[in-house]
Amino acid sequence: MVAFKDQLYTWRNVIFALFLRELQSKFNDKFGLGWAFLEPLSFILALSFLRGRITGGDVHTIPIFVFMMVGLMGLQSFTKIFQKVSTSIKRNSPLYAFRQVQPMSAVITSGFLEYSIKVVVGLLLALVLYLMDLTFEIFDPLLFIFLCLMLGIFSISFGLIFAIAAAFVPEVDKVKSLMVRPLMFISCVFFSLQDIPEEYWPYLTWNPLVHFNELVRYSFFESYGNKGVSLQFFVIVTISTLFLSLSMYHITWKRVLSR
């Protein structure tokens, strides 16, 4: 009988090997991590320019660049992690011939890699803020860290749900593409919830990314406020998604291997 300690050791080695494999395949071009940084930076600069032409100055006490950085990084973190995790089970299916490799290993590896990349990109963007002389003291750093961790868990869990569903119904991938496209316009990336009349807030606040983006801005600047959003809602949605995804995996993972 294999001891639990030995199982953990084997699982750790498998995840590490898959991590190196994913890292090599993701950054096998000349740009590497540089493109992962330049892409969001160019989008942030473009959106900041457009928003500045429309309103000018700060956005509800937040510098435009910081406002756009939070919104775009929140959206891209979710979409990148979600999309990678949602295809991880199918993408690594040939490796399941080895008994040590299970679908959950591929899910954890893809999610952790994308999350780590976004952390590095976030640190590089913080350096850009310093060079632009846009430094500021974060109002609630613990809230910011907690929100980032919750976003990672939510993105991986949501991606796992779609990965399992796609194993049984391939058409789910088409639904996934349709679902991701409008997020740019309904996740408070380019605008603030405070820019919208309150009677229309219920049409937006069902989206957890709205709560994430607005709460991160609030964690940076207390003056921004947190009206209309709820940390409790975001946590409940995250925990519920995690529970649902793990339940689906526990019930179906053996059948997923046979498909």
Side-chain angles (χ1 to χ4, degrees), residues 38-244:
L38 291 175
E39 181 186 13
L41 177 62
S42 60
F43 271 111
I44 293 169
L45 290 172
L47 292 176
S48 299
F49 175 77
L50 291 175
R51 177 78 195 218
R53 294 289 299 233
I54 294 172
T55 59
D58 297 342
V59 181
H60 304 290
T61 73
I62 297 184
I64 292 179
F65 186 87
V66 178
F67 180 88
M68 292 301 172
M69 181 184 74
V70 171
L72 194 65
M73 283 299 295
L75 175 64
Q76 285 200 348
S77 297
F78 169 75
T79 55
K80 294 288 187 181
I81 296 173
F82 164 66
Q83 290 177 334
K84 280 295 182 181
V85 171
S86 65
T87 60
S88 60
I89 292 180
K90 183 185 297 185
R91 191 171 64 250
N92 292 279
S93 57
L95 298 177
Y96 304 148
F98 300 95
R99 183 173 53 85
Q100 298 87 347
V101 182
Q102 296 182 0
M104 183 56 76
S105 302
V107 169
I108 293 175
T109 301
S110 296
F112 180 73
L113 175 60
E114 290 298 326
Y115 188 83
S116 301
I117 291 171
K118 288 305 175 185
V119 170
V120 174
V121 172
L123 293 174
L124 292 175
L125 288 174
L127 177 61
V128 172
L129 289 177
Y130 175 78
L131 296 176
M132 294 174 62
D133 198 23
L134 288 175
T135 56
F136 56 90
E137 183 176 347
I138 298 178
F139 161 62
D140 194 341
L142 291 180
L143 175 60
F144 170 64
I145 294 172
F146 179 74
L147 287 168
C148 291
L149 290 175
M150 285 291 102
L151 180 66
I153 294 173
F154 173 70
S155 304
I156 294 173
S157 302
F158 205 63
L160 177 57
I161 292 173
F162 272 76
I164 295 171
F168 296 94
V169 185
E171 289 76 14
V172 167
D173 288 333
K174 298 178 181 179
V175 176
K176 180 182 66 178
S177 300
L178 293 174
M179 185 194 70
V180 169
R181 289 173 185 173
L183 287 179
M184 179 71 179
F185 307 101
I186 62 174
S187 301
C188 288
V189 175
F190 188 75
F191 59 86
S192 167
L193 191 63
Q194 301 173 40
D195 296 330
I196 308 298
E198 289 191 26
E199 58 265 29
Y200 298 111
W201 286 4
Y203 297 104
L204 294 173
T205 50
W206 60 266
N207 181 1
L209 291 180
V210 170
H211 296 263
F212 172 81
N213 286 332
E214 293 290 275
L215 286 170
V216 168
R217 288 162 180 156
Y218 168 69
S219 72
F220 283 177
F221 295 88
E222 183 181 13
S223 57
Y224 184 77
N226 59 351
K227 188 177 179 181
V229 292
S230 169
L231 176 62
Q232 182 181 13
F233 174 82
F234 185 58
V235 171
I236 289 175
V237 170
T238 300
I239 294 176
S240 300
T241 307
L242 176 63
F243 176 78
L244 177 61

